[in-house]
Amino acid sequence: GEDVEQSLFLSVREGDSSVINCTYTDSSSTYLYWYKQEPGAGLQLLTYIFSNMDMKQDQRLTVLLNKKDKHLSLRIADTQTGDSAIYFCAGGRTSYDKVIFGPGTSLSVIP
Amino acid sequence: GAVVSQHPSWVICKSGTSVKIECRSLDFQATTMFWYRQFPKQSLMLMATSNEGSKATYEQGVEKDKFLINHASLTLSTLTVTSAHPEDSSFYICSAREYSRVFWEGGYTFGSGTRLTVV
């Protein structure tokens, strides 16, 4: 079945880089996403990567994908206090399919 | 960009009553909407997928008679929690997919969620 795992907590100092890791079990996951959720709010799509890519960079965000190990990571450069939130890794088999979410990683940024 | 409005943002109801949550796509037609449930400090669990004009597809373990989903138009889907009990208290989030836009173009948009508290 489909399963997505993440470490639950991460704490970094302001200005440092944050790396959030994710593993998934479904090798048919073609589309992989990172979402951000601030307290009491809905989800915001941060970035995505296709399974035929191994890296994607978008401003301060870098996504690395190791398809062989089914490992996905999100690196946030120059982490700011406004980056404190829960980050969800998610995957889907098609661009129109349901999306399965990981448990979320709570990122705390220390000033 | 695409906007999904979810209403109410929070609701408190008495045990045994029913609560309706609305999910509206404001500037696009949503052929498919997804309903998720999120417990405190946990991930989103997909409850059901609704397609406009047809019956919703529920995930395993979700009671379809308790969580009634109606997707009668291309811009509105509703989730009704019937005979609510305290264990139904949760954060419910909808997501709408615009037919003409694929996911990576932002074709999936999430509502801001509804916090339901049953007392």
Side-chain angles (χ1 to χ4, degrees), chain B residues 10-53:
Chain B
W10 61 270
V11 58
I12 302 173
C13 71
K14 288 186 177 180
S15 188
T17 61
S18 295
V19 174
K20 181 184 283 188
I21 301 169
E22 292 187 349
C23 182
R24 291 181 185 273
S25 57
L26 295 188
D27 51 1
F28 67 97
Q29 294 185 327
T31 51
T32 304
M33 287 189 176
F34 301 89
W35 286 95
Y36 292 86
R37 181 176 182 178
Q38 184 181 32
F39 290 103
K41 300 188 188 303
Q42 293 188 31
S43 187
L44 281 75
M45 301 300 296
L46 180 65
M47 298 174 66
T49 302
S50 76
N51 292 295
E52 184 266 337

Side-chain angles (χ1 to χ4, degrees), chain A residues 1-3 24-30 70 92-93:
Chain A
E2 305 149 339
D3 194 19
Y24 59 97
T25 58
D26 188 358
S27 57
S28 299
S29 292
T30 308
K70 299 189 189 70
R93 292 183 177 182

Side-chain angles (χ1 to χ4, degrees), chain A residues 2-10 18-26 29 31-35 47 49 62-75 87-92 99-105, chain B residues 43:
Chain A
E2 305 149 339
D3 194 19
V4 179
E5 296 182 355
Q6 298 174 241
S7 51
L8 298 181
F9 302 99
L10 178 65
S18 308
V19 179
I20 303 172
N21 293 301
C22 167
T23 57
Y24 59 97
T25 58
D26 188 358
S29 292
Y31 304 90
L32 296 151
Y33 316 100
W34 283 103
Y35 280 89
T47 188
I49 191 168
T62 302
V63 180
L64 295 178
L65 174 61
N66 181 326
K67 193 176 179 183
K68 174 175 169 288
D69 295 336
K70 299 189 189 70
H71 182 266
L72 185 72
S73 69
L74 173 69
R75 178 176 180 270
Y87 291 80
F88 291 96
C89 167
V99 175
I100 303 299
F101 287 82
T105 298
Chain B
S43 187

Side-chain angles (χ1 to χ4, degrees), chain B:
Chain B
V3 176
V4 171
S5 173
Q6 190 171 339
H7 179 80
S9 54
W10 61 270
V11 58
I12 302 173
C13 71
K14 288 186 177 180
S15 188
T17 61
S18 295
V19 174
K20 181 184 283 188
I21 301 169
E22 292 187 349
C23 182
R24 291 181 185 273
S25 57
L26 295 188
D27 51 1
F28 67 97
Q29 294 185 327
T31 51
T32 304
M33 287 189 176
F34 301 89
W35 286 95
Y36 292 86
R37 181 176 182 178
Q38 184 181 32
F39 290 103
K41 300 188 188 303
Q42 293 188 31
S43 187
L44 281 75
M45 301 300 296
L46 180 65
M47 298 174 66
T49 302
S50 76
N51 292 295
E52 184 266 337
S54 62
K55 288 185 180 179
T57 302
Y58 289 81
E59 294 297 302
Q60 192 172 7
V62 178
E63 299 175 61
K64 58 180 69 176
D65 294 331
K66 181 166 186 61
F67 298 100
L68 300 179
I69 291 172
N70 184 289
H71 193 165
S73 79
L74 283 170
T75 59
L76 175 64
S77 176
T78 60
L79 167 68
T80 301
V81 183
T82 62
S83 186
H85 290 283
E87 57 265 30
D88 298 324
S89 298
S90 190
F91 193 58
Y92 294 87
I93 304 178
C94 71
S95 171
R97 183 177 82 77
E98 185 176 4
Y99 179 76
S100 60
R101 299 174 70 197
V102 296
F103 188 95
W104 56 85
E105 294 177 352
Y108 278 93
T109 305
F110 282 82
S112 55
T114 297
R115 183 160 304 284
L116 170 63
T117 302
V118 185
V119 298

